[in-house]
Amino acid sequence: MSEKTLPIPPVVLDHPLVLHKLTRLRQASTSTAGFRRLTRELSLLMCYEATRDLVTEPVEIQTPLEKMEGQELSGKKLCFISILRAGNGILDGMLDLIPAARVGHIGLYRDHDTLEAIEYYMKLPDDVADRDCIVVDPMLATGHSAAAALDRVKAAGVKKIVFVCLLAAPEGVAWLNEKHPDVKIVTCAIDRGLDEKGYIRPGLGDAGDRLFGTR
């Protein structure tokens, strides 16, 4: 009988800039434009941590003064995979930092009665199996949508995945650790828990609605 894979502990960012911007993001008075801007800024900070383990290789370059050996990313570039629709708010900022990355999209919605994830769209790069992938979604609530998305990404042959979210609930972290213990979670905070409707408390509301001004 094989040993059970131990889950990778979630990485919770505690940088002062993250704490400050997340507090502003949570506020009900923050406008749609402000919410988008703060999400974009936080995505840059989260991307820095999510890409910490990327492999580099030496390369000889010429500075204005002399030749030297620097480092550049090794192998194929990253793939960012956005869980629609709210994941696009994080995706945009990460592409600012790594514009050469490929992009995939997975469309899932949560059944409000069963809280299960239902797929309506998926498009990934043809060579996604050869790339490290960062899957993005602002909220890790029950974890069902995230786990379903990771199921599909792994079915496409991807071996190394990091999941990035603005906020997580303990229930979502536990579910993702159970279903995908090999996936590292990077988040700005793990909140108190879920309410009876499956929303993160204290949370920041519905990230998609706040990003796109639909409520």
Side-chain angles (χ1 to χ4, degrees):
M1 182 177 178
S2 60
E3 292 185 9
K4 184 176 181 180
T5 302
L6 294 176
I8 300 172
V11 176
V12 181
L13 306 183
D14 59 358
H15 191 284
L17 283 176
V18 172
L19 301 177
H20 171 79
K21 293 178 184 297
L22 180 60
T23 297
R24 294 291 181 89
L25 194 74
R26 290 182 187 271
Q27 290 178 309
S29 59
T30 297
S31 66
T32 298
F35 195 92
R36 288 176 187 158
R37 175 180 55 80
L38 287 162
T39 298
R40 198 180 195 105
E41 292 170 354
L42 283 166
S43 71
L44 293 171
L45 298 169
M46 291 189 296
C47 189
Y48 178 82
E49 181 60 40
T51 56
R52 180 178 294 277
D53 297 330
L54 290 181
V55 177
T56 61
E57 62 185 6
V59 59
E60 186 177 90
I61 63 169
Q62 176 73 52
T63 78
L65 300 177
E66 62 180 75
K67 289 184 178 180
M68 65 160 287
E69 186 178 273
Q71 296 287 324
E72 65 179 10
L73 294 177
S74 177
K76 290 198 174 183
K77 298 295 188 291
L78 280 172
C79 179
F80 295 128
I81 301 176
S82 171
I83 300 178
L84 299 173
R85 63 180 170 152
N88 284 355
I90 296 176
L91 173 67
D92 291 342
M94 290 194 169
L95 284 173
D96 285 345
L97 193 61
I98 310 178
R102 297 293 188 267
V103 176
H105 294 89
I106 298 178
L108 299 166
Y109 68 89
R110 186 173 62 173
D111 185 293
H112 288 288
D113 293 325
T114 65
L115 302 183
E116 293 295 330
I118 299 174
E119 179 186 324
Y120 63 88
Y121 179 81
M122 186 171 80
K123 182 67 174 179
L124 302 176
D126 291 338
D127 62 351
V128 70
D130 300 323
R131 299 176 182 272
D132 292 347
C133 291
I134 297 177
V135 179
V136 299
D137 195 10
M139 315 295 278
L140 178 59
T142 65
H144 291 174
S145 293
L150 295 179
D151 285 341
R152 288 153 177 80
V153 173
K154 286 184 176 180
V158 177
K159 299 296 189 296
K160 187 174 181 181
I161 306 170
V162 177
F163 181 83
V164 175
C165 58
L166 291 170
L167 287 182
E171 296 93 331
V173 171
W175 185 260
L176 211 60
N177 281 343
E178 178 184 340
K179 298 298 181 180
H180 297 282
D182 58 319
V183 174
K184 180 169 71 174
I185 300 168
V186 175
T187 186
C188 296
I190 298 177
D191 276 8
R192 183 177 69 247
L194 301 177
D195 63 17
E196 65 281 358
K197 294 183 179 180
Y199 284 98
I200 299 175
R201 294 297 187 113
L204 49 75
D206 187 298
D209 285 337
R210 296 195 68 186
L211 276 166
F212 303 115
T214 48
R215 184 175 297 174

